[in-house]
Amino acid sequence: MTAKEYSHHTPRWADDALRFALRCCPSRPDCEDAVQEALAALWQCHASVSLDKGKSYLLSAAYRSLMATLRHAKVERKHADGVGASVATVQQPDLRFDLREAIEHSLQALPEVQRAILQLRDVEGYSYREIGETLALSDSQVQVYLFRARVSMRKQLKELGYDES
Amino acid sequence: MNQISADNYELWLLRYAEGDLAPEERRAVEEWLASHPEAAEELALYQEAPRLERDERVRYAAQPSQPLWPVVARWSAAAAVIAALMLPALRMGGLARLPQPTEEPALMAAAMVAEEGGAGYSRNSRISKISRISSYPSYSGLSGFSAADSVFSKGEGGAPEAPVAAPAEVIPSTSLIAFDDSGVEDTLASFSLIAFEPADWGDRLLAANDGARESLAQSAGGRLVSRLLPDSDQLAEHVVDPLRERLSIMRNKLKQ
């Protein structure tokens, strides 16, 4: 990728990367930091990254950075609380919420990697191979996680009273 | 793929749902599902699950969501820098033609330079994080940071990235400078000296770099300054006078 191609494509890719990061972590500042670090990483090696791989490189770098941040935060919480790392829980949404909000709530109950896979599959339209490359997983792992994510999400929605999706 | 079992049925069901199986494989899955109703229920859940939609509202490095001046108020060093940034524009009668601000990075870069002497931002702050970033000559949203790092590296004797070389000893710790480098190949023309302190720093820089004067002058009154400053009314009310005062204080400190 040339410097010009980098300049041309990264603003749009950065939007996608931020959208992806926000699926994995609700903290926008953390997500923006992760995207920023990913942009830095991509710039450092842009000459050796082909244009068609640029976006997945950016998303992958943002994901790694974000996961490192989240792991660090978990460790800090663990030390602060003197207990084991907290388990993700989802709060019961107000039943006045619409389906879209209920979907967001059910997403938050999923492990980060499953949310990331859903985003890459549904929104970015990535193939299993591309998702695997981005998240450093095998094709089979991606498919199993995707299956579990959809099943869990639908179960959660049913429990919240949304029988029709 | 191996024969369907409790260990791998999720893979089979996903591929079944997505139509990726051969007819004989589909029949095998259906036979297996007939004797595993809980798995059949999972398959139904999978198929009913909603697909996520793209949220077009999400933007990275969007326009500032608030006027520039409250940001300035948070960073006192940045405030002083803006005052300095204004000087070339004022000299060129540029205030009337300054459009709305669109970017903050170069401002922050300049703030970092100004704070090199130790005015202090937390090592854990976002500014500090950003300061690790270098080499963004072509990404406009981050060009300012690149500039700041370039200045630091010069001061520390590292190889300068910017095409106009300045001897390290003429860059004082409180130099107020920022560069706008909007293209890798676009060297001198894209290198903008926005403001400087002490006042003769720019002249000494130009003296060492024949041919740079015109492009510097054009840039100093144009691109970066115009991107940073709000319209003239806002500028007068919220920025100009308070920042002149701050700049004056900084100058007095320098003299002491």
Side-chain angles (χ1 to χ4, degrees):
Chain A
M1 186 190 318
T2 65
K4 262 185 184 164
E5 287 169 336
Y6 177 94
S7 295
H8 179 72
H9 291 286
T10 47
R12 186 166 42 81
W13 292 348
D15 289 345
D16 295 335
L18 180 61
R19 206 174 283 125
F20 168 56
L22 284 168
R23 279 283 183 226
C24 307
C25 167
S27 164
R28 181 153 183 145
D30 284 345
C31 292
E32 287 181 346
D33 283 354
V35 174
Q36 193 174 66
E37 293 200 10
L39 286 166
L42 179 58
W43 172 254
Q44 296 292 352
C45 64
H46 71 276
S48 61
V49 176
S50 63
L51 182 58
D52 62 326
K53 296 282 183 193
K55 181 177 167 183
S56 62
Y57 183 99
L58 189 69
L59 266 59
S60 179
Y63 182 75
R64 285 196 304 272
S65 171
L66 190 60
M67 289 304 109
T69 301
L70 293 178
R71 274 196 298 275
H72 183 66
K74 273 183 186 171
V75 170
E76 282 188 339
R77 276 203 304 274
K78 185 177 171 184
H79 284 294
D81 298 343
V83 294
S86 63
V87 176
T89 56
V90 63
Q91 294 197 338
Q92 186 83 3
D94 187 325
L95 289 180
R96 290 169 299 177
F97 285 179
D98 62 18
L99 177 61
R100 190 185 183 127
E101 288 167 315
I103 289 172
E104 285 302 319
H105 277 273
S106 62
L107 272 172
Q108 295 312 311
L110 299 177
E112 288 101 355
V113 69
Q114 292 187 15
R115 290 204 298 272
I117 289 172
L118 280 174
Q119 176 76 8
L120 292 175
R121 183 69 177 170
D122 290 353
V123 178
E124 301 300 335
Y126 274 22
S127 68
Y128 296 130
R129 184 184 54 78
E130 288 170 321
I131 296 172
E133 285 174 2
T134 302
L135 304 180
L137 299 170
S138 70
D139 288 9
S140 296
Q141 282 175 308
V142 170
Q143 291 176 57
V144 168
Y145 285 149
L146 178 66
F147 185 86
R148 290 177 184 171
R150 292 210 201 286
V151 170
S152 297
M153 207 167 91
R154 186 70 191 101
K155 262 186 195 167
Q156 180 79 25
L157 285 172
K158 276 197 164 183
E159 286 168 12
L160 295 173
Y162 294 92
D163 283 333
E164 301 295 325
S165 55
Chain B
M1 196 156 64
N2 296 330
Q3 197 169 10
I4 186 166
S5 69
D7 294 331
N8 66 9
Y9 76 95
E10 291 159 311
L11 266 181
W12 279 95
L13 295 189
L14 180 136
R15 292 176 189 178
Y16 176 86
E18 298 199 349
D20 289 340
L21 297 180
E24 63 274 20
E25 291 175 320
R26 289 186 67 81
R27 277 195 298 278
V29 169
E30 286 160 1
E31 284 171 13
W32 188 84
L33 285 173
S35 56
H36 295 81
E38 69 290 349
E41 191 180 334
E42 283 189 36
L43 177 62
L45 290 170
Y46 176 88
Q47 290 170 318
E48 291 170 3
R51 271 38 177 178
L52 304 187
E53 294 173 359
R54 175 183 291 264
D55 186 350
E56 296 293 349
R57 295 167 300 179
V58 175
R59 288 280 184 275
Y60 177 78
Q63 305 288 316
S65 58
Q66 54 186 337
L68 188 63
W69 67 267
V71 178
V72 171
R74 285 207 299 272
W75 296 322
S76 59
V81 171
I82 289 201
L85 288 174
M86 285 168 23
L87 297 180
L90 288 166
R91 278 202 297 272
M92 299 177 71
L95 279 187
R97 54 190 166 78
L98 293 176
Q100 291 288 331
T102 58
E103 292 180 358
E104 295 174 16
L107 157 68
M108 295 167 69
M112 287 159 50
V113 177
E115 291 195 353
E116 189 183 10
Y121 48 84
S122 160
R123 293 299 302 168
N124 295 321
S125 73
R126 288 171 64 74
I127 292 182
S128 172
K129 275 187 172 179
I130 290 163
S131 72
R132 299 203 308 266
I133 296 176
S134 60
S135 304
Y136 286 97
S138 67
Y139 186 63
S140 60
L142 296 169
S143 58
F145 302 123
S146 169
D149 279 358
S150 297
V151 173
F152 285 133
S153 68
K154 281 179 197 168
E156 293 163 2
E161 238 174 70
V164 179
E169 66 270 20
V170 303
I171 305 178
S173 63
T174 50
S175 291
L176 304 179
I177 52 180
F179 310 136
D180 175 21
D181 188 350
S182 54
V184 172
E185 301 87 0
D186 188 8
T187 53
L188 278 180
S190 65
F191 180 80
S192 309
L193 177 62
I194 300 304
F196 38 84
E197 181 73 39
D200 71 339
W201 189 84
D203 290 333
R204 294 171 65 179
L205 182 65
L206 291 173
N209 294 275
D210 289 339
R213 182 179 295 276
E214 189 180 344
S215 60
L216 286 175
Q218 287 173 351
S219 301
R223 288 195 306 259
L224 184 53
V225 171
S226 67
R227 288 215 312 262
L228 283 170
L229 298 181
D231 66 62
S232 54
D233 288 342
Q234 273 189 312
L235 198 64
E237 182 181 356
H238 298 295
V239 181
V240 175
D241 292 339
L243 297 191
R244 273 186 179 148
E245 190 178 334
R246 283 188 178 280
L247 188 60
S248 170
I249 293 169
M250 275 190 80
R251 280 180 167 146
N252 287 337
K253 280 186 180 172
L254 279 175
K255 285 176 188 169
Q256 288 167 5

